[in-house]
Amino acid sequence: MLLTRWFTVLALVLSVSAQAGESVLDRAPERPYDIVIESGYLNVGVYRDFPPYSYEKEGEAVGVDIDIGKRIAEELEVEFRVHWITPDETLEDDLRNNIWKGHYLAKRRIADVMLRVPYDKQYAYMRDSTGEVINDQVVMFGPYQQERWQIAYDPGDIDSVGTLAVFQYHPIGVEIDTLPATYLTSAFGGRLRDNTHHFSSVRQAFRAMADGDVSAVMGMRAEIDHELGAHAGQGFAAAENGFPGMGKQAWDVGMAVKHTHRQLGYAIEAIVDRMVREGEMADIFERHGLRYGMPAFYEEILGVGDEEP
């Protein structure tokens, strides 16, 4: 009887220990500043297949965000390691899966820092229906670029794009499930809806314009600039129109770390701040054939802004 009880207690202890061990192994690793430096590498989270920001070319990671990540790692004197992010349904999902908790299928696979995160105080402190801060597990910091919407068009089909009203008569391509797709299908009382064609990416929309299926493409300016460079021989041009009634037409892009890794965030923020102030960030964009928009965060500090349309 006594032996039976002893085995029962032992089994319970082993069970609890096993469960505790599994829970530790099933958690995202803690990699604060000291551990990152000691480990000798930095996991930089960037979106997969997202030119010109981050994508693979001949098996090598390339793009603006790849170059920025490499410079950050270089300044920290550690190895750069790319952490590819496949976008989920929302940004909150991406932050959870890649920064603070890990995906339920691979919780040990985590980024130390994630790039291309909107730098927006309202979004950072957004609350759910119960009043809880939605993004309380992450810290968003380090604005390094201002992004905006842009249209490119084929001058062989359209003389100019002074107003969106021209797309009542000419087809325009957009990436599906994006703000431009929603905007163009609802603007002007829906009169542009039938001429708004949806594609899986801006790249696909440009291919359609090259084939003569659409006369213009709308997307993020860096994506548009990248595709204009890729189709340089076809005479496509960037439009100079605005987007009335669209709301937010330009926004700052920054980074994010887990809220318990603020020291790492401070170190990275100092590197990025210097890159922006000294022009190195603009040089990276220029090397990729892109116009650079300095974040609005720096407008008052440095007395400059992004004046281009």
Side-chain angles (χ1 to χ4, degrees):
M1 186 71 165
L2 194 58
L3 188 61
T4 302
R5 288 180 180 176
W6 185 84
F7 275 119
T8 301
V9 171
L10 179 61
L12 286 171
V13 170
L14 290 174
S15 175
V16 171
S17 298
Q19 290 175 12
E22 288 171 2
S23 64
V24 169
L25 291 173
D26 200 35
R27 285 203 298 263
E30 286 292 335
R31 284 179 49 82
Y33 176 81
D34 291 343
I35 291 180
V36 167
I37 300 302
E38 185 179 353
S39 71
Y41 66 89
L42 179 73
N43 289 321
V44 179
V46 294
Y47 283 103
R48 184 184 295 277
D49 194 25
F50 195 22
Y53 311 111
S54 46
Y55 59 108
E56 286 188 295
K57 186 175 182 179
E58 298 178 355
E60 181 182 356
V62 295
V64 168
D65 288 348
I66 298 297
D67 287 356
I68 294 170
K70 287 180 177 178
R71 284 294 294 123
I72 292 170
E74 183 180 8
E75 289 291 317
L76 292 174
E77 298 183 346
V78 296
E79 175 193 350
F80 166 82
R81 293 188 182 179
V82 63
H83 171 100
W84 291 115
I85 297 172
T86 299
D88 209 316
E89 292 185 4
T90 67
L91 177 57
E92 292 84 55
D93 293 335
D94 294 344
L95 291 167
R96 181 187 65 248
N97 293 340
N98 296 278
I99 287 294
W100 62 270
K101 188 175 183 179
H103 194 278
Y104 69 93
L105 292 177
K107 288 191 175 179
R108 303 293 295 174
R109 183 184 176 275
I110 206 79
D112 299 316
V113 59
M114 177 175 166
L115 273 60
R116 203 134 300 271
V117 176
Y119 182 79
D120 184 283
K121 294 294 185 183
Q122 186 175 356
Y123 175 77
Y125 297 107
M126 185 171 58
R127 296 177 181 272
D128 61 20
S129 59
T130 66
E132 296 292 326
V133 177
I134 294 174
N135 296 306
D136 63 337
Q137 295 294 316
V138 298
V139 176
M140 301 177 199
F141 68 98
Y144 60 91
Q145 176 207 1
Q146 184 179 90
E147 188 58 278
R148 61 174 63 243
W149 301 114
Q150 174 75 57
I151 286 178
Y153 68 99
D154 184 352
D157 291 343
I158 306 173
D159 291 335
S160 64
V161 182
T163 170
L164 290 173
V166 299
F167 299 115
Q168 295 179 89
Y169 317 105
H170 297 278
I172 181 170
V174 293
E175 183 176 348
I176 193 170
D177 294 330
T178 60
L179 182 57
T182 302
Y183 174 69
L184 289 175
T185 53
S186 59
F188 293 89
R191 291 197 292 272
L192 313 183
R193 184 181 297 115
D194 292 341
N195 275 331
T196 302
H197 297 219
H198 300 83
F199 299 89
S200 60
S201 65
V202 169
R203 184 172 17 179
Q204 291 293 335
F206 258 83
R207 288 175 182 170
M209 184 160 64
D211 292 338
D213 296 329
V214 297
S215 301
V217 176
M218 180 176 176
M220 286 184 284
R221 186 172 71 177
E223 289 185 285
I224 295 294
D225 285 354
H226 178 72
E227 292 301 329
L228 284 172
H231 296 81
Q234 296 182 270
F236 300 150
E240 298 183 359
N241 63 290
F243 304 98
M246 191 176 190
K248 200 161 196 174
Q249 300 184 32
W251 62 98
D252 284 0
V253 176
M255 308 176 220
V257 295
K258 188 175 181 180
H259 75 105
T260 52
H261 300 166
R262 292 174 187 267
Q263 185 181 3
L264 177 63
Y266 295 148
I268 294 173
E269 186 173 40
I271 294 168
V272 170
D273 179 72
R274 180 191 58 75
M275 292 174 67
V276 173
R277 290 172 184 266
E278 295 182 2
E280 185 178 354
M281 194 67 70
D283 290 342
I284 290 175
F285 279 77
E286 184 178 352
R287 287 201 302 269
H288 286 269
L290 311 174
R291 288 169 286 176
Y292 176 64
M294 183 172 283
F297 175 82
Y298 287 92
E299 286 184 4
E300 291 187 9
I301 299 174
L302 301 180
V304 297
D306 182 8
E307 302 298 334
E308 293 187 67

